[in-house]
Amino acid sequence: MSERQLAEAFVELADTLVDDFDLMDFLHQVTVRCAQVLGVAAAGVLLSDQRGALRVAAASTEQTRLLELLQLQTDEGPCPECFHSGRAVAVADLSAADERWPRFVTQARESGFASVHALPMRLRSDVIGALNLFGGRPGALDERTIQLGQALADVATIGLLQARAIRHHETLAEQLQTALNSRIIIEQAKGVIAERRQVDMDEAFELLRNTARRNNRQLSELARSIVDGSETRWLGESAPTAYARAPIPLHRSDGGVG
């Protein structure tokens, strides 16, 4: 990684920490920047909901998101272990962890990953989630990279607290629950876009995210309008294939198309 890349990543993430920022977009950017500046293949963020159960909040790729879901369904893998223990988990070679996490290791290796590291996301003494780092080759991350990864995990935690000043644990739980509920709507919208536009889930998310940014809308708000059917013009199944990857036009408040 270059010092310039690292500086740009922290400046970009810091710039998003303003009033009324888009939390889900911010968390996605954290995972993307982790993959870029730490030299790992992919990254994901899992957060605890109001009941203390882990949920997928963000992932740098669709493949990673599915692997994170597998960890939750089977309750095995680095993120659940990191979350429950409150300590970082490092596995330099997944082939040596077959007995430890049999189903996770099988799927991770089939997805092209050979190593994994999980870092805790803490609010004071409470662990509220974990940052997962997937490597394409065997090998442990060096101490400096781990420190930078933890710094990015801390930035993500700060972002969770930025939407409002948090004084009580109940307020934090409510905020996290809102973010996780938004993720469900976003996943549903991705499915609609992928089916109608004939693109994969990663491309569907980029269409959704870019359109939200271009039109100054929240990801969750745009996703909800897609799921409830109020955004329909660009989703027509009869649209020519040549336009399948075109930017998504949106309705403006003045009745035109954005």
Side-chain angles (χ1 to χ4, degrees), residues 140-214:
L141 297 178
D142 60 42
E143 183 177 353
R144 180 170 180 268
T145 302
I146 290 292
Q147 290 175 343
L148 290 175
Q150 188 62 63
L152 287 164
D154 293 342
V155 167
T157 304
I158 292 170
L160 292 168
L161 309 181
Q162 185 63 23
R164 67 179 69 172
I166 293 177
R167 297 181 180 179
H168 303 288
H169 184 270
E170 292 77 15
T171 305
L172 173 61
E174 179 183 353
Q175 185 181 17
L176 294 179
Q177 190 66 48
T178 298
L180 293 169
N181 289 342
S182 296
R183 186 72 213 186
I184 294 173
I185 297 295
I186 290 170
E187 292 305 320
Q188 292 172 344
K190 281 167 54 180
V192 173
I193 296 170
E195 179 194 6
R196 301 294 179 85
R197 283 304 189 94
Q198 295 299 296
V199 297
D200 64 30
M201 294 291 274
D202 284 327
E203 291 175 292
F205 180 77
E206 285 305 308
L207 284 169
L208 177 67
R209 178 171 173 267
N210 290 339
T211 302
R213 284 190 161 192
R214 190 166 57 248

Coordinates of all heavy atoms in Angstrom, one line a residue, residues 140-214:
A140 N 0.1 -14.5 7.0 CA -0.4 -13.6 8.1 C -0.2 -12.2 7.7 O 0.8 -11.9 7.0 CB 0.2 -14.0 9.4
L141 N -1.1 -11.3 8.1 CA -0.9 -9.9 7.9 C 0.2 -9.4 8.9 O 0.2 -9.8 10.0 CB -2.2 -9.1 8.1 CG -3.3 -9.4 7.1 CD1 -4.5 -8.6 7.5 CD2 -2.9 -9.1 5.7
D142 N 1.0 -8.5 8.5 CA 2.1 -8.0 9.4 C 1.4 -7.0 10.4 O 0.3 -6.6 10.3 CB 3.2 -7.3 8.7 CG 2.8 -6.1 7.8 OD1 1.9 -5.3 8.3 OD2 3.2 -5.9 6.7
E143 N 2.2 -6.8 11.5 CA 1.7 -6.0 12.6 C 1.2 -4.6 12.2 O 0.1 -4.1 12.6 CB 2.8 -5.8 13.7 CG 2.3 -5.1 14.9 CD 3.4 -5.0 16.0 OE1 4.4 -5.6 15.8 OE2 3.1 -4.3 17.0
R144 N 1.9 -3.9 11.3 CA 1.5 -2.6 10.8 C 0.2 -2.7 10.1 O -0.7 -1.8 10.3 CB 2.6 -2.0 9.9 CG 2.2 -0.6 9.4 CD 3.4 0.0 8.7 NE 3.0 1.4 8.2 CZ 2.6 1.6 7.0 NH1 2.4 0.6 6.1 NH2 2.3 2.9 6.6
T145 N 0.0 -3.7 9.3 CA -1.3 -3.8 8.5 C -2.4 -4.1 9.5 O -3.5 -3.6 9.3 CB -1.2 -5.0 7.5 OG1 -0.1 -4.7 6.6 CG2 -2.5 -5.1 6.7
I146 N -2.2 -4.9 10.5 CA -3.2 -5.2 11.5 C -3.6 -3.9 12.2 O -4.8 -3.7 12.5 CB -2.7 -6.3 12.5 CG1 -2.6 -7.6 11.8 CG2 -3.6 -6.3 13.7 CD1 -3.9 -8.2 11.4
Q147 N -2.6 -3.1 12.6 CA -2.9 -1.8 13.2 C -3.7 -0.9 12.4 O -4.6 -0.3 12.9 CB -1.6 -1.2 13.6 CG -0.8 -1.9 14.8 CD 0.6 -1.3 15.0 OE1 1.1 -0.5 14.2 NE2 1.1 -1.6 16.2
L148 N -3.4 -0.9 11.1 CA -4.2 0.0 10.2 C -5.6 -0.6 10.0 O -6.6 0.2 9.9 CB -3.5 0.0 8.8 CG -2.2 0.8 8.7 CD1 -1.5 0.7 7.4 CD2 -2.4 2.3 9.1
G149 N -5.7 -1.9 10.0 CA -7.0 -2.5 9.9 C -7.9 -2.2 11.1 O -9.1 -1.9 11.0
Q150 N -7.2 -2.2 12.3 CA -8.0 -1.9 13.5 C -8.4 -0.4 13.5 O -9.4 -0.1 14.0 CB -7.1 -2.2 14.7 CG -7.9 -2.1 16.0 CD -9.0 -3.0 16.2 OE1 -8.8 -4.2 16.2 NE2 -10.2 -2.5 16.2
A151 N -7.5 0.4 12.9 CA -7.8 1.8 12.8 C -9.0 2.0 11.9 O -9.9 2.9 12.2 CB -6.6 2.6 12.3
L152 N -9.1 1.3 10.8 CA -10.3 1.4 10.0 C -11.5 0.9 10.6 O -12.6 1.4 10.5 CB -10.0 0.7 8.7 CG -9.0 1.4 7.7 CD1 -8.5 0.4 6.7 CD2 -9.7 2.6 7.1
A153 N -11.4 -0.2 11.4 CA -12.5 -0.7 12.2 C -13.0 0.3 13.2 O -14.2 0.5 13.4 CB -12.1 -2.0 12.9
D154 N -12.0 1.1 13.8 CA -12.4 2.1 14.7 C -13.1 3.3 14.0 O -14.1 3.9 14.6 CB -11.1 2.6 15.4 CG -10.5 1.6 16.4 OD1 -11.2 0.6 16.7 OD2 -9.3 1.7 16.7
V155 N -12.7 3.6 12.8 CA -13.3 4.6 12.0 C -14.8 4.2 11.7 O -15.7 5.0 11.8 CB -12.6 4.9 10.7 CG1 -13.4 5.7 9.7 CG2 -11.3 5.6 11.0
A156 N -15.0 2.9 11.4 CA -16.3 2.4 11.1 C -17.2 2.6 12.4 O -18.4 2.9 12.3 CB -16.3 1.0 10.7
T157 N -16.6 2.3 13.5 CA -17.4 2.4 14.8 C -17.7 3.9 15.1 O -18.9 4.2 15.5 CB -16.5 1.9 16.0 OG1 -16.1 0.5 15.7 CG2 -17.3 1.9 17.3
I158 N -16.8 4.8 14.8 CA -17.1 6.2 15.0 C -18.2 6.6 14.0 O -19.1 7.4 14.4 CB -15.8 7.0 14.6 CG1 -14.8 6.8 15.7 CG2 -16.2 8.5 14.6 CD1 -13.4 7.4 15.4
G159 N -18.2 6.1 12.8 CA -19.3 6.4 11.9 C -20.6 6.0 12.4 O -21.6 6.7 12.2
L160 N -20.7 4.8 13.1 CA -22.0 4.4 13.7 C -22.5 5.3 14.7 O -23.7 5.5 14.9 CB -21.8 3.0 14.3 CG -21.5 1.9 13.3 CD1 -21.1 0.6 14.0 CD2 -22.7 1.6 12.5
L161 N -21.6 6.0 15.4 CA -22.0 6.9 16.4 C -22.2 8.3 16.0 O -22.7 9.2 16.7 CB -20.8 7.0 17.5 CG -20.4 5.6 18.0 CD1 -19.3 5.8 19.1 CD2 -21.5 4.8 18.6
Q162 N -21.8 8.6 14.7 CA -21.9 10.0 14.2 C -23.3 10.5 13.9 O -23.5 11.7 14.0 CB -21.0 10.1 12.9 CG -20.9 11.5 12.4 CD -20.2 12.4 13.3 OE1 -19.4 12.0 14.2 NE2 -20.4 13.7 13.2
A163 N -24.2 9.6 13.6 CA -25.6 10.1 13.3 C -26.2 10.9 14.4 O -27.0 11.8 14.2 CB -26.4 8.9 12.9
R164 N -25.9 10.6 15.6 CA -26.4 11.4 16.7 C -25.4 11.2 17.9 O -24.7 10.2 18.0 CB -27.8 11.0 17.1 CG -27.9 9.6 17.7 CD -29.3 9.2 18.1 NE -30.1 9.0 16.9 CZ -31.3 8.6 17.0 NH1 -31.9 8.2 18.1 NH2 -32.1 8.4 15.9
A165 N -25.5 12.1 18.9 CA -24.7 11.9 20.1 C -25.3 10.8 20.9 O -26.5 10.8 21.2 CB -24.6 13.2 20.9
I166 N -24.5 9.8 21.3 CA -25.0 8.7 22.0 C -24.6 8.7 23.5 O -23.4 8.8 23.8 CB -24.5 7.4 21.3 CG1 -25.1 7.3 19.9 CG2 -24.9 6.1 22.2 CD1 -24.6 6.1 19.2
R167 N -25.6 8.7 24.3 CA -25.3 8.7 25.8 C -25.7 7.4 26.5 O -25.2 7.1 27.6 CB -26.1 9.9 26.4 CG -25.6 11.2 25.9 CD -26.4 12.4 26.6 NE -25.9 13.7 26.1 CZ -26.4 14.8 26.5 NH1 -27.4 14.8 27.4 NH2 -26.0 15.9 26.0
H168 N -26.6 6.6 25.9 CA -27.1 5.4 26.5 C -26.9 4.2 25.5 O -27.1 4.4 24.3 CB -28.5 5.6 26.9 CG -28.8 6.7 27.9 ND1 -28.4 6.7 29.2 CD2 -29.4 7.9 27.6 CE1 -28.7 7.9 29.7 NE2 -29.3 8.6 28.8
H169 N -26.7 3.1 26.1 CA -26.5 1.9 25.3 C -27.8 1.6 24.5 O -27.7 1.1 23.4 CB -26.2 0.7 26.2 CG -26.0 -0.6 25.4 ND1 -26.9 -1.5 25.1 CD2 -24.8 -1.1 24.9 CE1 -26.4 -2.5 24.4 NE2 -25.1 -2.3 24.3
E170 N -29.0 1.9 25.0 CA -30.2 1.7 24.3 C -30.3 2.5 23.0 O -30.8 2.0 22.0 CB -31.4 2.0 25.2 CG -31.6 1.1 26.4 CD -30.6 1.4 27.5 OE1 -30.0 2.4 27.5 OE2 -30.5 0.5 28.4
T171 N -29.8 3.7 23.1 CA -29.7 4.5 21.9 C -28.9 3.9 20.8 O -29.2 3.9 19.6 CB -29.2 6.0 22.2 OG1 -30.0 6.5 23.3 CG2 -29.3 6.9 21.0
L172 N -27.7 3.4 21.2 CA -26.8 2.8 20.2 C -27.5 1.6 19.6 O -27.5 1.4 18.4 CB -25.5 2.3 20.9 CG -24.6 1.5 20.1 CD1 -24.1 2.3 18.8 CD2 -23.4 1.0 20.9
A173 N -28.2 0.7 20.4 CA -28.8 -0.4 19.9 C -29.9 -0.1 18.9 O -30.1 -0.7 17.9 CB -29.5 -1.2 21.1
E174 N -30.6 1.0 19.2 CA -31.7 1.5 18.3 C -31.1 1.9 16.9 O -31.6 1.6 15.9 CB -32.4 2.6 18.9 CG -33.5 3.2 18.0 CD -34.2 4.4 18.6 OE1 -33.9 4.7 19.8 OE2 -35.0 5.0 17.9
Q175 N -29.9 2.6 17.0 CA -29.3 3.1 15.8 C -28.7 1.9 14.9 O -28.9 1.9 13.7 CB -28.1 4.0 16.2 CG -27.5 4.7 14.9 CD -26.3 5.6 15.3 OE1 -25.8 5.5 16.4 NE2 -25.9 6.4 14.4
L176 N -28.1 1.0 15.6 CA -27.6 -0.2 14.9 C -28.8 -1.0 14.3 O -28.7 -1.5 13.1 CB -26.8 -1.1 15.9 CG -25.6 -0.6 16.4 CD1 -24.9 -1.6 17.4 CD2 -24.6 -0.2 15.3
Q177 N -29.9 -1.1 15.0 CA -31.0 -1.8 14.4 C -31.6 -1.2 13.2 O -31.9 -1.8 12.2 CB -32.1 -2.0 15.5 CG -33.3 -2.9 15.1 CD -32.8 -4.3 15.0 OE1 -32.1 -4.8 15.9 NE2 -33.1 -5.0 13.9
T178 N -31.6 0.2 13.2 CA -32.1 0.9 12.0 C -31.2 0.7 10.8 O -31.6 0.5 9.7 CB -32.1 2.4 12.4 OG1 -33.0 2.7 13.4 CG2 -32.5 3.2 11.1
A179 N -29.9 0.7 11.1 CA -28.9 0.4 10.0 C -29.1 -1.0 9.4 O -29.1 -1.2 8.2 CB -27.5 0.6 10.5
L180 N -29.3 -2.0 10.3 CA -29.4 -3.4 9.9 C -30.7 -3.6 9.1 O -30.8 -4.3 8.1 CB -29.3 -4.3 11.1 CG -27.9 -4.3 11.7 CD1 -28.0 -5.1 13.0 CD2 -26.9 -4.9 10.8
N181 N -31.8 -2.9 9.6 CA -33.1 -3.0 8.9 C -32.9 -2.4 7.5 O -33.5 -2.9 6.5 CB -34.2 -2.3 9.7 CG -34.6 -3.1 10.9 OD1 -34.3 -4.2 11.0 ND2 -35.2 -2.4 11.8
S182 N -32.2 -1.3 7.4 CA -32.0 -0.7 6.1 C -31.2 -1.6 5.1 O -31.5 -1.6 3.9 CB -31.1 0.6 6.2 OG -31.8 1.6 7.0
R183 N -30.3 -2.4 5.7 CA -29.6 -3.4 4.8 C -30.5 -4.4 4.2 O -30.3 -4.8 3.0 CB -28.5 -4.1 5.7 CG -27.6 -5.0 4.9 CD -26.7 -4.2 4.1 NE -26.3 -4.8 2.8 CZ -25.4 -4.3 2.0 NH1 -24.7 -3.2 2.2 NH2 -25.2 -5.0 0.8
I184 N -31.6 -4.8 4.9 CA -32.5 -5.7 4.3 C -33.2 -5.1 3.1 O -33.4 -5.8 2.1 CB -33.6 -6.1 5.4 CG1 -32.9 -6.9 6.5 CG2 -34.7 -7.0 4.8 CD1 -33.8 -7.2 7.7
I185 N -33.6 -3.9 3.2 CA -34.3 -3.2 2.1 C -33.3 -3.1 0.9 O -33.7 -3.3 -0.2 CB -34.8 -1.8 2.5 CG1 -35.9 -1.9 3.6 CG2 -35.3 -1.0 1.4 CD1 -37.1 -2.6 3.2
I186 N -32.1 -2.8 1.2 CA -31.1 -2.6 0.2 C -30.9 -3.9 -0.6 O -30.8 -4.0 -1.8 CB -29.8 -2.1 0.7 CG1 -29.9 -0.6 1.2 CG2 -28.6 -2.2 -0.3 CD1 -28.8 -0.1 2.0
E187 N -30.8 -5.0 0.2 CA -30.7 -6.3 -0.5 C -31.9 -6.7 -1.4 O -31.7 -7.2 -2.5 CB -30.5 -7.4 0.6 CG -29.2 -7.4 1.3 CD -27.9 -7.3 0.4 OE1 -27.9 -8.1 -0.6 OE2 -27.0 -6.6 0.7
Q188 N -33.1 -6.3 -0.9 CA -34.2 -6.6 -1.7 C -34.2 -5.8 -3.0 O -34.5 -6.3 -4.1 CB -35.5 -6.2 -0.9 CG -35.7 -7.2 0.2 CD -36.9 -6.8 1.1 OE1 -37.3 -5.6 1.1 NE2 -37.4 -7.7 2.0
A189 N -33.8 -4.5 -2.9 CA -33.7 -3.6 -4.1 C -32.6 -4.1 -5.0 O -32.8 -4.1 -6.3 CB -33.4 -2.2 -3.7
K190 N -31.5 -4.6 -4.5 CA -30.5 -5.2 -5.4 C -31.1 -6.4 -6.2 O -30.8 -6.5 -7.4 CB -29.3 -5.7 -4.5 CG -28.4 -4.6 -4.1 CD -27.4 -5.1 -3.0 CE -26.7 -6.4 -3.4 NZ -25.7 -6.8 -2.3
G191 N -31.9 -7.2 -5.6 CA -32.5 -8.3 -6.3 C -33.4 -7.9 -7.4 O -33.4 -8.4 -8.5
V192 N -34.2 -6.8 -7.1 CA -35.1 -6.3 -8.2 C -34.3 -5.8 -9.3 O -34.6 -6.1 -10.5 CB -36.0 -5.2 -7.6 CG1 -36.8 -4.5 -8.7 CG2 -36.9 -5.7 -6.5
I193 N -33.2 -5.0 -9.0 CA -32.4 -4.4 -10.1 C -31.7 -5.5 -10.9 O -31.7 -5.4 -12.1 CB -31.4 -3.4 -9.5 CG1 -32.1 -2.2 -8.8 CG2 -30.4 -2.9 -10.6 CD1 -31.2 -1.3 -8.0
A194 N -31.1 -6.4 -10.2 CA -30.4 -7.5 -10.9 C -31.3 -8.3 -11.8 O -30.9 -8.6 -13.0 CB -29.8 -8.5 -9.8
E195 N -32.5 -8.6 -11.4 CA -33.4 -9.3 -12.3 C -33.9 -8.5 -13.5 O -33.8 -8.9 -14.6 CB -34.7 -9.7 -11.5 CG -35.7 -10.5 -12.3 CD -37.0 -10.6 -11.6 OE1 -37.2 -10.0 -10.6 OE2 -37.9 -11.3 -12.2
R196 N -34.3 -7.2 -13.2 CA -34.8 -6.4 -14.3 C -33.8 -5.9 -15.3 O -34.0 -5.8 -16.4 CB -35.6 -5.2 -13.7 CG -36.7 -5.6 -12.8 CD -37.9 -6.3 -13.5 NE -38.9 -6.7 -12.6 CZ -39.9 -5.9 -12.3 NH1 -40.0 -4.7 -12.7 NH2 -40.8 -6.3 -11.4
R197 N -32.6 -5.6 -14.7 CA -31.5 -5.1 -15.6 C -30.6 -6.2 -16.1 O -29.6 -5.9 -16.9 CB -30.7 -4.1 -14.8 CG -31.4 -2.7 -14.7 CD -31.7 -2.2 -16.1 NE -32.2 -0.8 -16.0 CZ -31.4 0.3 -16.2 NH1 -30.2 0.2 -16.5 NH2 -32.0 1.5 -16.2
Q198 N -30.8 -7.4 -15.7 CA -29.9 -8.6 -16.1 C -28.5 -8.3 -15.8 O -27.6 -8.5 -16.7 CB -30.2 -8.8 -17.6 CG -31.6 -9.3 -17.9 CD -31.9 -10.6 -17.2 OE1 -31.3 -11.7 -17.5 NE2 -32.9 -10.6 -16.3
V199 N -28.2 -7.9 -14.6 CA -26.8 -7.7 -14.1 C -26.6 -8.5 -12.8 O -27.6 -9.0 -12.3 CB -26.5 -6.2 -13.8 CG1 -26.6 -5.4 -15.1 CG2 -27.5 -5.7 -12.8
D200 N -25.3 -8.7 -12.4 CA -25.1 -9.4 -11.2 C -25.3 -8.5 -10.0 O -25.6 -7.3 -10.1 CB -23.7 -10.1 -11.2 CG -22.6 -9.1 -11.2 OD1 -22.8 -7.9 -10.7 OD2 -21.5 -9.4 -11.7
M201 N -25.3 -9.1 -8.8 CA -25.6 -8.4 -7.6 C -24.6 -7.2 -7.3 O -25.0 -6.2 -6.8 CB -25.7 -9.3 -6.4 CG -26.9 -10.3 -6.5 SD -28.5 -9.6 -6.4 CE -28.7 -9.6 -4.6
D202 N -23.4 -7.4 -7.6 CA -22.4 -6.4 -7.4 C -22.7 -5.2 -8.3 O -22.7 -4.0 -7.9 CB -21.0 -6.9 -7.7 CG -20.4 -7.7 -6.6 OD1 -20.8 -7.4 -5.4 OD2 -19.6 -8.6 -6.9
E203 N -23.0 -5.4 -9.6 CA -23.4 -4.4 -10.5 C -24.7 -3.7 -10.1 O -24.8 -2.5 -10.2 CB -23.5 -4.9 -11.9 CG -22.2 -5.3 -12.5 CD -22.3 -6.0 -13.9 OE1 -22.9 -7.1 -13.9 OE2 -21.9 -5.4 -14.9
A204 N -25.6 -4.5 -9.6 CA -26.9 -3.9 -9.1 C -26.7 -3.0 -8.0 O -27.3 -1.9 -7.9 CB -27.8 -5.1 -8.7
F205 N -25.8 -3.3 -7.1 CA -25.5 -2.4 -5.9 C -24.8 -1.1 -6.4 O -25.2 0.0 -5.9 CB -24.6 -3.1 -4.9 CG -24.3 -2.2 -3.7 CD1 -25.3 -2.0 -2.7 CD2 -23.1 -1.6 -3.6 CE1 -25.0 -1.2 -1.6 CE2 -22.8 -0.7 -2.5 CZ -23.8 -0.5 -1.5
E206 N -23.9 -1.2 -7.4 CA -23.3 0.0 -7.9 C -24.3 0.9 -8.6 O -24.2 2.1 -8.4 CB -22.1 -0.4 -8.8 CG -20.9 -1.0 -8.1 CD -20.3 0.0 -7.1 OE1 -20.1 1.2 -7.4 OE2 -20.2 -0.4 -5.9
L207 N -25.2 0.3 -9.3 CA -26.2 1.1 -9.9 C -27.1 1.8 -8.9 O -27.3 3.0 -9.0 CB -27.2 0.2 -10.8 CG -26.6 -0.2 -12.1 CD1 -27.6 -1.3 -12.7 CD2 -26.5 0.9 -13.1
L208 N -27.4 1.1 -7.8 CA -28.2 1.7 -6.7 C -27.4 2.8 -6.0 O -27.9 3.9 -5.8 CB -28.6 0.6 -5.8 CG -29.4 1.0 -4.5 CD1 -30.8 1.5 -4.9 CD2 -29.5 -0.1 -3.5
R209 N -26.2 2.5 -5.7 CA -25.4 3.4 -4.9 C -25.1 4.7 -5.8 O -25.2 5.8 -5.3 CB -24.1 2.7 -4.5 CG -23.1 3.6 -3.8 CD -21.9 2.8 -3.2 NE -20.9 3.6 -2.6 CZ -19.8 4.0 -3.3 NH1 -19.7 3.7 -4.6 NH2 -18.9 4.8 -2.7
N210 N -24.7 4.5 -7.0 CA -24.3 5.7 -7.9 C -25.5 6.5 -8.1 O -25.4 7.8 -8.1 CB -23.7 5.2 -9.2 CG -22.4 4.6 -9.0 OD1 -21.7 4.8 -8.0 ND2 -22.0 3.7 -10.0
T211 N -26.7 5.9 -8.3 CA -27.9 6.7 -8.5 C -28.3 7.5 -7.3 O -28.7 8.6 -7.3 CB -29.1 5.8 -8.9 OG1 -28.7 5.0 -10.1 CG2 -30.3 6.5 -9.2
A212 N -28.2 6.9 -6.1 CA -28.4 7.6 -4.8 C -27.5 8.8 -4.7 O -28.0 9.9 -4.3 CB -28.3 6.6 -3.6
R213 N -26.2 8.6 -4.9 CA -25.3 9.7 -4.8 C -25.6 10.8 -5.8 O -25.6 12.0 -5.5 CB -23.9 9.2 -5.0 CG -23.3 8.4 -3.8 CD -21.8 8.2 -4.0 NE -21.2 7.8 -2.7 CZ -19.9 7.8 -2.5 NH1 -19.1 8.0 -3.5 NH2 -19.4 7.5 -1.4
R214 N -25.9 10.4 -7.1 CA -26.1 11.4 -8.1 C -27.3 12.2 -7.9 O -27.4 13.4 -8.2 CB -26.2 10.6 -9.5 CG -26.2 11.6 -10.7 CD -26.0 10.8 -12.0 NE -27.0 9.7 -12.1 CZ -26.8 8.4 -12.1 NH1 -25.6 8.0 -11.8 NH2 -27.7 7.6 -12.3

